[in-house]
Structures are given as C-alpha cells and as structure tokens.
Amino acid sequence: MTVRFRLTEEQRALRAGVRQLLERRFGADALRAAVARPGHLDRELWRELGAAGLFALRLPEAEGGVGLGLPETVLVFEETGRALLPGPVLASHLAAGTVPGAATGECVVARADGSLVEWLDAADTVCGDASGALPLRSVDPLTPLHRVLGAGADAPDPVAVLLTAAEQLGTATRACELAVQHARAREQFGQPIGAFQAVKHLCADLLVRAETARAAVYAAAVTADPADIAAARLLADEAAVRGARDCLQVHGGMGFTWEAEVHLHLKRAWVRAQRGGGSTQSEEALAADLVA
Amino acid sequence: MDLSYTPEEEEFRVRLREWLAKVLPTLPAGPSPDDWPGRRAYDLGWQRMLYDAGYADVHWDASPTTRLIFLEETEKAGAPYVGANFVGLLHAGPTLAAEGTPEQRARWLPPILRGDEVWCQGFSEPDAGSDLAALRTRARRDGDDYVVSGSKIWTSHAEVADWCELLVRTDPQAPRHRGITWLAMPMDADGITVRPLRTLAGSAEFAEVFLDEVRVPVAHRVGAENDGWRVTMVTLSFERGTAFVGEVVACRRVLGELARTARENGRWDDPVLRRRLGRLSAEFRALWRLTQWNVSEAEAGGGVPGVGGSVFKLSYSHARQELYDTAAEVLGPDCLDLDRPWVLDRLSSLSYTIAAGTSQIQRNIVAERILGLPKGR
C-alpha cells in the first residue's frame, strides 16, 4: 500500500518531536529574552540543537548524521520557522559534513546569500564571499544582517531556497493560528471579532494561502525539481508575508505593538523573502520554463 | 510523502492513453455552442464510447487516484468534457446510488452509464442561491403523486434533459432544512416551461425552469419525505477532491500557450508580464499538488472532503480569473475581439468565484468549519 502524498506516521512523529523540543528550549520567555539581546546567539542552545541532529539531518548515518531526506528536513525547517528560532540554522545545516563542527553545533556557520549575510558576527566561519561586508541596522531584531556591496548574483542553491520556503510555511501556519486565536478571544460589539465576516474572511484567506503553499513545498521536497522549488518559494513567501500582515491586521492596535509576537513573524518573513535572489529570480525561472 | 503511482495505476494510465489515441481521431466534430440537441447527442455519444470501453463508471467505483489519472489523461488528450452528462454522472447518479431503492437504482443508473439519459439539477431558485435552504418550490401530496409548483434557476442542460433532480418543500411548517424532499422529475411532464438564460458571454448555458402543477409520482422520491436536505448533502462530498482535475490540467496548457504567444507577438520582452506568467505557473503547479494532496487524503479516508474542497476552490477560482486577465494582457487590443482565443474564456471565468458557492460563502465555510470561528454576521 502506497503512502501517497501525505505525511507518514514517522513524519508526523518527527514533526511533533521537533515542535516539543523547540517549545521546551525556545518558548515564549526565551523568545522575549532573545528579542531583548539582538545579535546574541545562545551557544548552549545551538549545541543542544546540534546534539538533537538538527543540522545533520541529511548527513548519512555513516558520517554521524541522521540520514533523513529532503521531505523530513522540510518538516523540521517548517517547525524552526514556526518557532522563530534565531540563528543561522539554514547555513549550519548546509555546512554540515563540509565544515568541521557545523553538524554538532560546535561551530556556528554563516553564509553569504546574494548581497546579504545573516549572523556574520556571531559565526565562527562564513561560507561564500563576505569580504567587505558592512553591518546594517536590521529591521528584524532576531536576525543581525551584513550587506556585501557589489556581490554578484550567483544562481541560488535550490536546497537553500526550498528550506527557506519551508520556514516561510511555518510562519504562514503560525500566523494563521495566532490570527484565529485572537479572533476567537477578542470581543467587540458584544461578540468575538471572529464572528464578523470581515475578520473571518481574513482568517480564511490566511489558511487558503498557507495550505496551497504547503502542497507546493511538500511536493518540491519530494521531487527536488528546480521549477517545483521555485513555485514553492513564491507561494510560501506570499503565504508568510501576507499571512503575517493579515495576522497583524486581525490583532488591531495590539498587532502594532512591540510586545505582541506578530511583528516578529512579519519581519522574519521579510528577511527570508530576500534570500535566493528574491521572488524575481523564481518568477523569471518559471517563466523561462514555460517556453523551454 | 510519495508522488508515485502503483504499477496497476501506471498500467491503467497506459491503457487509457492507447485507447484515447485510437478513438479520439474517430470522433465527429463538436456541435456549435447553441446547438443543444447536437450537444446532447455528442456528449451522450462520448459517454457511450466510454461505456463500451469499460470506463463509464470511473467517477463512481474507481479509487480517487484512478479517477485523477482518468481526468488528467482525458484532458491532456483533448477528449470531450463530461458536458451534458455532468449532473447524471457527478451528482444525481451518486445520490441515487447512495440513497435510492434497488428499483430506483436499476431504473436510473444504467441509462446514465450507457449514455442514454441526461439529467439536470433543480436546486437553486431566484430567492434561494447561496442560501439554498430558503427554497420555496412547493410539493403537495395528491394520491400517488406530488403536485409541484415553483421555479428553479441556473439549470444547465434543462432544454435537453430527460430527468431533473429536484429539491422541493414538502413541509412549510418545519424548520427550513427539515421540510425539503428530493424528487426525480421527468422533464417531459406537463406544466414544465424552460426558458434559456443568456449569460454575459452571450451563450445560453443554462435556463430558468418554471413548474406549474407538475405531477411527479411519489415512487420518484429518493429518501424519505422531508429528508431531502440530508440526501443532497451526502452527494456534495462525493467529488472528493477530483472536481477540478481537468480544469487545472487545461489551465497549465493555456499558460504554456500564452507564453508562446507572448514570445511571438513581442510582449514577452515585458518583464512585468513575464513575471506575472511565472507567478501563475507557480500557482497552477501548487494547485495540481493540492489536488494530489486532497485525493490522497480522500483515499486514506481522512480529512473533510467538502471542506478541503473549499480551500482548493478559493485558490483555484482566483487563479483562473487571473489567468485570463493575463491572457488579455498578452493579447493587447485583440482582447476585445470575441473571435480571438481566450476572450470568451475570460468572460466565462467571471463565474468561477460565483458558481457552486461564491468565494464569500466558501470563506465562511473555511472559517467556521475548519478554523472553528463562531457563526455570525
């Protein structure tokens, strides 16, 4: 009996396990603490994540890795994205097996992606050309950024683009959950604001975009086809960025505060949307594919 | 997560492809859009060919994945659409199969499969659209008959149908959902007037049906009296995620044609248009994957088919309208010429966010039944 295009029991268990780990080690208090110390990377947490296999997911077991495939890795990155886990998770994952210590979390790895480098100062080493990188005042308090002026636009690594899409999917899912929670709890005019169609429809669209993106991201993880990956990133970027904005809108005035979690999701989604050449690159790739 | 098919399914695909390659060149030319008897004969003829080849019941008995393959391959090969057989094969038929008596099933199902009889749907009314339970067409008992009076609207193929699956109110005093009954009405009965409705695309795709003291035998009632709402709802979840398979395949083909046309007429040099086409390609790729996802969920017996369908329909209807708006951009001034390709499709696409539940109703369904938001205004 074929499993078909849905999660296996093992995949569900993996997702639940990662979610539990992140809730335990990076819960609401840790998130607040991280926002209060921009640029600081919790090295102890990093080693714990390494020990849990987060960076060595796709490394063969013979090389000390977990030996999983892209679909499982996508599920894990969806969770790190959902939890707003700070740090160069993607760069460390991509470096596992080539940069000593990256897999275990002993060595923190940053990565030049186009003209941006995340977490450069906190990293022990950097992959790609980050020479002359200048710090900028990052819009996202949980992602310190450097700008590399004059960096060439290399063809993006499809795996990096896919795993970024997975993180965006996590954000989209979380934004939908937060919006729905608030719409059910917050009362105005004597009823939950989620009873009003204007609010209800914002929430419905959040889910529709997230679930459409989910199908694209999971399928791209199965096929690893570059066009599927480009499609996944476009859908996931939109689901995350528009999702976080709609979530903010549902939260009303509270959504505009520093205190509410919502802005962190939007800002992180903006950062990720710049990776891999941005949406332009993916749209052009898919257009070219249409006439190939 | 797996996107592969079983050897049996691959074999089904290959056999179907071979058969289509053999029979499609033998088909007569399709009828003109307003030739209703021609349409009926053509669509029934195609169903008869499917029947003779053993594919007639693919919508009923096959697994969702087999149905997906059937719809994908027939669309790719350019086979005729289900057309006038739509209500019989995809709505009234499955309802009869699930809720009919053995006699009713024996009377009505074989002619649908063989391509002998056409069904139409008498559900919506002028004052009962999204709010279907507000329907007012009245049926009173008179001996062995129901006597039906009222009017129905948006009835496709009414002019050429043999039967109508009809929802009527049999108990005006009961709560709205509890006073409705499902009847099979013969379209040649006295008292039925069919008036074609012209759509904004200029064609008469559906009709209004006026019923004046039409006698329908009680033996034509499916399910119990006043249980028609439940009988109907059984079928609404029947499509199980495969409702738009052919359309998504067709949209992806149109997208390729748009790109090639843009290359030929020079509009391809416009990066804004190119990127718009690229984004549409992403959306239709995603919609194809979402279809596969929904089919897998249906097959595993999980999920809530009707509700997962709402997520799909919201995404799809928006994307398809966007597709034809982009076609207009590719065409430039030619988009005003009804004889150009895609211009009529653009007009037809305006119905996608309305037909079979408006996007606003679909959002209510998603918000209330999936997200658990409270009912309200």
Side-chain angles (χ1 to χ4, degrees), chain A residues 11 16 25 44 49 58 63 106-107 171 185 252 260 266 275 280 285 292:
Chain A
Q11 287 167 339
R25 277 305 273 113
E44 195 189 328
L49 296 174
R58 286 184 305 134
E63 294 171 40
E106 292 299 326
C107 177
T171 290
L266 177 59
R275 291 187 198 154
T280 313

mmCIF file of all heavy atoms in Angstrom, chain A residues 11 16 25 44 49 58 63 106-107 171 185 252 260 266 275 280 285 292:
data_model
loop_
_atom_site.group_PDB
_atom_site.id
_atom_site.type_symbol
_atom_site.label_atom_id
_atom_site.label_comp_id
_atom_site.label_asym_id
_atom_site.label_seq_id
_atom_site.Cartn_x
_atom_site.Cartn_y
_atom_site.Cartn_z
ATOM 1 N N GLN A 11 6.829 10.655 9.874
ATOM 2 C CA GLN A 11 6.986 12.088 9.611
ATOM 3 C C GLN A 11 6.170 12.923 10.601
ATOM 4 O O GLN A 11 6.624 13.970 11.065
ATOM 5 C CB GLN A 11 6.583 12.401 8.158
ATOM 6 C CG GLN A 11 7.632 11.884 7.167
ATOM 7 C CD GLN A 11 7.150 11.883 5.730
ATOM 8 O OE1 GLN A 11 5.949 11.896 5.459
ATOM 9 N NE2 GLN A 11 8.089 11.859 4.803
ATOM 10 N N ALA A 16 6.187 16.362 15.435
ATOM 11 C CA ALA A 16 5.741 16.578 16.818
ATOM 12 C C ALA A 16 6.940 16.661 17.755
ATOM 13 O O ALA A 16 6.968 17.484 18.680
ATOM 14 C CB ALA A 16 4.802 15.449 17.240
ATOM 15 N N ARG A 25 12.762 24.298 24.673
ATOM 16 C CA ARG A 25 14.022 25.018 24.708
ATOM 17 C C ARG A 25 13.919 26.443 24.183
ATOM 18 O O ARG A 25 14.787 27.261 24.438
ATOM 19 C CB ARG A 25 15.086 24.238 23.910
ATOM 20 C CG ARG A 25 15.734 23.142 24.686
ATOM 21 C CD ARG A 25 16.332 23.676 26.011
ATOM 22 N NE ARG A 25 17.700 24.187 25.829
ATOM 23 C CZ ARG A 25 18.043 25.462 25.942
ATOM 24 N NH1 ARG A 25 17.139 26.376 26.183
ATOM 25 N NH2 ARG A 25 19.292 25.823 25.806
ATOM 26 N N GLU A 44 24.780 27.523 23.924
ATOM 27 C CA GLU A 44 24.373 26.283 24.590
ATOM 28 C C GLU A 44 23.188 25.658 23.854
ATOM 29 O O GLU A 44 23.165 24.461 23.586
ATOM 30 C CB GLU A 44 23.973 26.591 26.033
ATOM 31 C CG GLU A 44 23.888 25.369 26.906
ATOM 32 C CD GLU A 44 23.287 25.694 28.262
ATOM 33 O OE1 GLU A 44 23.502 26.839 28.737
ATOM 34 O OE2 GLU A 44 22.583 24.836 28.809
ATOM 35 N N LEU A 49 20.812 21.838 19.904
ATOM 36 C CA LEU A 49 20.151 21.587 18.618
ATOM 37 C C LEU A 49 21.015 20.670 17.765
ATOM 38 O O LEU A 49 20.507 19.776 17.077
ATOM 39 C CB LEU A 49 19.890 22.905 17.882
ATOM 40 C CG LEU A 49 18.919 23.876 18.569
ATOM 41 C CD1 LEU A 49 18.860 25.209 17.826
ATOM 42 C CD2 LEU A 49 17.516 23.278 18.668
ATOM 43 N N ARG A 58 20.379 15.585 7.051
ATOM 44 C CA ARG A 58 20.533 14.911 5.762
ATOM 45 C C ARG A 58 21.895 14.236 5.613
ATOM 46 O O ARG A 58 22.172 13.619 4.587
ATOM 47 C CB ARG A 58 20.304 15.895 4.615
ATOM 48 C CG ARG A 58 18.826 16.251 4.430
ATOM 49 C CD ARG A 58 18.630 17.139 3.223
ATOM 50 N NE ARG A 58 19.466 18.321 3.335
ATOM 51 C CZ ARG A 58 20.215 18.803 2.351
ATOM 52 N NH1 ARG A 58 20.240 18.189 1.180
ATOM 53 N NH2 ARG A 58 20.942 19.895 2.523
ATOM 54 N N GLU A 63 28.303 9.005 8.476
ATOM 55 C CA GLU A 63 29.104 10.199 8.770
ATOM 56 C C GLU A 63 28.599 10.900 10.023
ATOM 57 O O GLU A 63 28.836 12.099 10.221
ATOM 58 C CB GLU A 63 29.052 11.162 7.572
ATOM 59 C CG GLU A 63 29.729 10.611 6.323
ATOM 60 C CD GLU A 63 29.481 11.488 5.098
ATOM 61 O OE1 GLU A 63 29.499 12.726 5.244
ATOM 62 O OE2 GLU A 63 29.255 10.928 4.016
ATOM 63 N N GLU A 106 29.028 22.861 17.370
ATOM 64 C CA GLU A 106 30.228 23.439 17.988
ATOM 65 C C GLU A 106 30.676 24.664 17.198
ATOM 66 O O GLU A 106 31.133 25.650 17.768
ATOM 67 C CB GLU A 106 31.367 22.402 18.010
ATOM 68 C CG GLU A 106 31.148 21.216 18.927
ATOM 69 C CD GLU A 106 30.999 21.627 20.386
ATOM 70 O OE1 GLU A 106 31.663 22.610 20.800
ATOM 71 O OE2 GLU A 106 30.199 20.987 21.101
ATOM 72 N N CYS A 107 30.538 24.552 15.903
ATOM 73 C CA CYS A 107 30.955 25.639 15.018
ATOM 74 C C CYS A 107 29.711 26.295 14.425
ATOM 75 O O CYS A 107 28.878 25.623 13.828
ATOM 76 C CB CYS A 107 31.852 25.084 13.908
ATOM 77 S SG CYS A 107 32.361 26.319 12.702
ATOM 78 N N THR A 171 5.945 30.008 9.248
ATOM 79 C CA THR A 171 5.454 31.341 9.617
ATOM 80 C C THR A 171 3.999 31.514 9.199
ATOM 81 O O THR A 171 3.172 32.024 9.962
ATOM 82 C CB THR A 171 6.335 32.422 8.950
ATOM 83 O OG1 THR A 171 7.617 32.409 9.578
ATOM 84 C CG2 THR A 171 5.714 33.804 9.084
ATOM 85 N N ALA A 185 -10.888 35.052 20.772
ATOM 86 C CA ALA A 185 -10.825 35.531 22.146
ATOM 87 C C ALA A 185 -11.258 36.992 22.291
ATOM 88 O O ALA A 185 -11.939 37.365 23.239
ATOM 89 C CB ALA A 185 -9.406 35.361 22.680
ATOM 90 N N GLY A 252 -5.447 44.147 15.319
ATOM 91 C CA GLY A 252 -5.775 45.548 15.559
ATOM 92 C C GLY A 252 -4.595 46.277 16.194
ATOM 93 O O GLY A 252 -3.437 45.984 15.885
ATOM 94 N N ALA A 260 3.512 42.445 21.215
ATOM 95 C CA ALA A 260 2.868 41.301 20.561
ATOM 96 C C ALA A 260 3.883 40.603 19.647
ATOM 97 O O ALA A 260 4.769 41.233 19.090
ATOM 98 C CB ALA A 260 1.654 41.757 19.755
ATOM 99 N N LEU A 266 6.358 38.837 10.819
ATOM 100 C CA LEU A 266 6.385 39.604 9.573
ATOM 101 C C LEU A 266 7.824 39.967 9.193
ATOM 102 O O LEU A 266 8.246 39.810 8.045
ATOM 103 C CB LEU A 266 5.527 40.868 9.716
ATOM 104 C CG LEU A 266 5.533 41.793 8.492
ATOM 105 C CD1 LEU A 266 5.020 41.063 7.252
ATOM 106 C CD2 LEU A 266 4.685 43.042 8.756
ATOM 107 N N ARG A 275 16.153 36.052 0.345
ATOM 108 C CA ARG A 275 17.137 35.006 0.033
ATOM 109 C C ARG A 275 16.940 34.465 -1.386
ATOM 110 O O ARG A 275 15.849 34.568 -1.956
ATOM 111 C CB ARG A 275 17.002 33.837 1.021
ATOM 112 C CG ARG A 275 17.426 34.169 2.439
ATOM 113 C CD ARG A 275 17.405 32.888 3.268
ATOM 114 N NE ARG A 275 17.389 33.164 4.697
ATOM 115 C CZ ARG A 275 16.882 32.322 5.605
ATOM 116 N NH1 ARG A 275 16.340 31.182 5.214
ATOM 117 N NH2 ARG A 275 16.917 32.636 6.889
ATOM 118 N N THR A 280 11.824 37.723 -7.817
ATOM 119 C CA THR A 280 12.072 37.991 -9.245
ATOM 120 C C THR A 280 12.746 36.802 -9.914
ATOM 121 O O THR A 280 12.334 36.341 -10.980
ATOM 122 C CB THR A 280 12.991 39.214 -9.410
ATOM 123 O OG1 THR A 280 12.500 40.250 -8.575
ATOM 124 C CG2 THR A 280 13.019 39.682 -10.845
ATOM 125 N N ALA A 285 12.525 32.325 -13.582
ATOM 126 C CA ALA A 285 12.873 30.922 -13.843
ATOM 127 C C ALA A 285 11.641 30.142 -14.306
ATOM 128 O O ALA A 285 11.705 29.343 -15.245
ATOM 129 C CB ALA A 285 13.466 30.289 -12.594
ATOM 130 N N ALA A 292 10.365 26.654 -22.398
ATOM 131 C CA ALA A 292 11.534 25.781 -22.613
ATOM 132 C C ALA A 292 11.174 24.641 -23.560
ATOM 133 O O ALA A 292 10.044 24.182 -23.572
ATOM 134 C CB ALA A 292 12.018 25.226 -21.286
#
